Every structure is written in structure tokens, then in C-alpha cells.
């Protein structure tokens, strides 16, 4: 399987992303507060193997998700859902930056502030559209 490794600023936290990945830019208020800017994240088809779980501190940022950062240097790394196995990682932490070819999607575009814009034609979807993807089929939202 295709894999990609990554690490935090100090090197204490490392991971392997498994399978192909897509890159999203999240414009939600929580991501901007957590990272200081829109969050560029990678979601791997077969998930992420966190090699150093003891060096990740998890912060519960909402009822449904938590965010993981390096305990030593504070690098913002992971976002995962509390239920299920969805997880993504900050794109800037990937070792092989050349492997990232494009922005595949902008999410929570309805929370994007006016003071910046991205170029390019990647799809822009709202927060409600993203949340709907995680609703079980047939379940009222
Ligand atoms: Zn670190
Ligand atoms: Zn976000």
C-alpha cells in the first residue's frame, strides 16, 4: 500500500498515512483559531497510523471531535471524530511535500472570513454539506 510519513516541528510526534489522500482546506472558525489560519488537511483512504501516541495531547473541541497536538512542541497535527474512525492530519506536517499536488476541496466555506481568498476552482462546500456526509443514511439530520 502507498504510504506517506510525517512529523511535527520537533520530531517527537510521527505518523504514517496509509493509501491515497485528498487535501482539503477548512475555513471553519475552530480550525482558524486552532491553527491561526485556514487548516490545510490530508485525509488518507486507509487512515493514519500514529507512531507516537504518547506524544499526542488530545483536546476535545466539540461534542463530536477532538484535535491532537504534539506534547513537546505544540504542533497542530490531527483532527478526529469521537465516533467512527475519521481522522485527518495537517498537510504541512507531511515529509514529502511534493506529493501534495492540489487542493481537492474547500470546506466550511460559509465560515470563511472576508479578509482572504484562495485562487483555483476546487469545489467549495458549506459546513452543513460536510456534516451531512457523516449522517447515517436514512437518519433525520
Ligand atoms: Zn513536536
Ligand atoms: Zn475546520
Amino acid at each position: 500500500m502507498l504510504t506517506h510519513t510525517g512529523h511535527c516541528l520537533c520530531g517527537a510526534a510521527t505518523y504514517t498515512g496509509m493509501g491515497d489522500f485528498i487535501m482539503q482546506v477548512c475555513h471553519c472558525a475552530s480550525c482558524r483559531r486552532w491553527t491561526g489560519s485556514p487548516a490545510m488537511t490530508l485525509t488518507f483512504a486507509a487512515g493514519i497510523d500514529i507512531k507516537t501516541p504518547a506524544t499526542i495531547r488530545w483536546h476535545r473541541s466539540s461534542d463530536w471531535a477532538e484535535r491532537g497536538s504534539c506534547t513537546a512542541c505544540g504542533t497542530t497535527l490531527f483532527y478526529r471524530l469521537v465516533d467512527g474512525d475519521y481522522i485527518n492530519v495537517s498537510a504541512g506536517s507531511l515529509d514529502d511535500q511534493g506529493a501534495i499536488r492540489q487542493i481537492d476541496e474547500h470546506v466550511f466555506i460559509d465560515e470563511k472570513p472576508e479578509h482572504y481568498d484562495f485562487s483555483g476552482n476546487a469545489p467549495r462546500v458549506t459546513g452543513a454539506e460536510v456534516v451531512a456526509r457523516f449522517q447515517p443514511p436514512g437518519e433525520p439530520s
Side-chain angles (χ1 to χ4, degrees):
M1 185 191 298
L2 179 68
T3 61
H4 287 93
T5 58
H7 67 274
C8 67
L9 188 60
C10 78
T14 64
Y15 66 88
T16 299
M18 295 173 294
D20 217 348
F21 63 80
I22 62 160
M23 176 159 149
Q24 291 170 308
V25 182
C26 185
H27 301 275
C28 86
S30 295
C31 281
R32 286 184 287 109
R33 194 169 291 280
W34 192 52
T35 67
S37 64
M40 294 182 160
T41 66
L42 305 177
T43 302
F44 289 87
I48 295 171
D49 181 13
I50 298 173
K51 298 294 187 186
T52 57
T55 64
I56 306 300
R57 190 178 69 83
W58 292 96
H59 170 70
R60 184 76 174 261
S61 54
S62 66
D63 287 344
W64 57 88
E66 53 192 5
R67 295 166 185 268
S69 54
C70 174
T71 56
C73 70
T75 295
T76 55
L77 289 168
F78 306 109
Y79 171 96
R80 71 181 179 191
L81 295 181
V82 176
D83 295 325
D85 51 13
Y86 179 81
I87 183 170
N88 68 36
V89 65
S90 298
S93 66
L94 201 73
D95 290 332
D96 180 7
Q97 288 287 295
I100 305 172
R101 300 313 232 179
Q102 63 183 16
I103 294 170
D104 294 295
E105 186 177 58
H106 293 268
V107 299
F108 284 83
I109 198 67
D110 49 320
E111 292 191 27
K112 185 187 79 62
E114 293 295 320
H115 60 256
Y116 68 78
D117 278 304
F118 280 65
S119 61
N121 296 318
R124 268 88 167 152
V125 301
T126 66
E129 289 171 312
V130 174
V131 170
R133 293 175 186 170
F134 292 96
Q135 300 285 341
E139 193 135 309
S141 56

